[in-house]
Amino acid sequence: MGLGIDMRHRIAKRAAAEIKNGMIVNLGIGIPSLIPNYVPSTVHVMFHAENGILGLGSSPPLGEEDENVCNAAGYPTTTVQGASYCDSATAFAMIRKGYVDMTILGALEVSEKGDLANWIVPGKRVPGMGGAMELAQKAKKVIVLMNHTSKTGEPKLVKTCSLPLTASGCVGLVITDRAVFKVEKDALLLTELMSPYTVEDILSSTEATVRLSDQLITIP
């Protein structure tokens, strides 16, 4: 089952808290594209998109969309003061050179070692991996936003990824509809619970090794 719109926004709001002043941040397709709506006006950030924008803003009001300004997913967006446009090759060069401080992506699976699988399910047609492989290897920090389980209820936080990897050992933080985890050596550290889920709920729906933080909190 897919996530409802309220939960998608809840995850995006939590992810926005990871963004610090002065960062260049790349946003993936899906939930990450909602994040600009939750960044405080006091935080100056330049959102990067592979299609050639540095300085994405929040979603435009209904009826005020500009058909020539969109994010990497093709959805209407705005730009902030100081934004710039470039071709896709230059946008990718920024990634490969290591100028992106953080990338926030979706995932199909994440392993307890921080391996990321997010670009293909064997046997299914996909448009390609996009910039995921470059971003996962070159961004200074990788955050994953995703459903805690698959549509059939299977864990997506696993001991070892069964799907083709995007990159190994790259993920630093995972935010799901149920919890927040920091990736540590050979385990996921549970730091936050999304109400109304409990520790027992998380342990029963997670295949990866989970350790509990001494400062575990619950997000209302």
Side-chain angles (χ1 to χ4, degrees):
M1 182 181 294
L3 294 177
I5 187 64
D6 290 343
M7 181 54 73
R8 292 166 64 85
H9 279 273
R10 188 182 189 189
I11 293 172
K13 183 178 181 179
R14 173 59 187 84
E18 295 296 315
I19 295 172
K20 309 304 179 186
N21 198 53
M23 280 185 167
I24 293 176
V25 180
N26 178 279
L27 300 177
I29 294 171
I31 300 174
S33 66
L34 301 173
I35 291 172
N37 299 317
Y38 294 100
V39 176
S41 59
T42 54
V43 176
H44 178 70
V45 56
M46 297 298 277
F47 287 113
H48 170 277
E50 300 101 293
N51 59 322
I53 299 178
L54 183 61
L56 289 171
S58 57
S59 302
L62 187 63
E64 297 183 21
E65 301 88 348
D66 184 337
E67 63 181 11
N68 296 308
V69 182
C70 64
N71 58 28
Y75 292 107
T77 188
T78 59
T79 55
V80 300
Q81 184 175 4
S84 59
Y85 300 90
C86 60
D87 60 22
S88 188
T90 302
F92 271 86
M94 295 178 193
I95 299 170
R96 294 167 181 161
K97 190 66 175 177
Y99 292 131
V100 175
D101 295 298
M102 180 187 294
T103 184
I104 306 178
L105 306 168
L108 298 168
E109 291 179 333
V110 174
S111 81
E112 62 188 35
K113 296 181 180 180
D115 301 332
L116 171 65
N118 80 338
W119 77 277
I120 192 172
V121 175
K124 292 189 177 181
R125 295 184 64 183
V126 295
M129 74 287 294
M133 291 185 177
E134 284 93 343
L135 287 162
Q137 295 183 58
K138 295 297 185 179
K140 295 171 186 174
K141 183 174 183 178
V142 177
I143 296 178
V144 165
L145 312 183
M146 67 178 192
N147 301 53
H148 199 90
T149 60
S150 68
K151 293 179 180 179
T152 57
E154 297 300 316
K156 295 177 65 174
L157 293 170
V158 295
K159 288 188 174 297
T160 303
C161 292
S162 61
L163 298 172
L165 292 186
T166 305
S168 60
C170 62
V171 180
L173 188 73
V174 181
I175 304 173
T176 78
D177 54 310
R178 302 184 185 185
V180 179
F181 302 87
K182 289 182 179 179
V183 180
E184 298 193 328
K185 186 178 181 180
D186 298 331
L188 302 179
L189 180 67
L190 176 61
T191 60
E192 300 171 40
L193 293 168
M194 294 280 197
S195 178
Y197 292 101
T198 65
V199 170
E200 290 72 22
D201 293 329
I202 302 307
L203 295 178
S204 66
S205 59
T206 307
E207 180 190 291
T209 303
V210 175
R211 298 191 184 114
L212 305 185
S213 170
D214 293 334
Q215 299 178 330
L216 181 63
I217 65 172
T218 298
I219 301 175

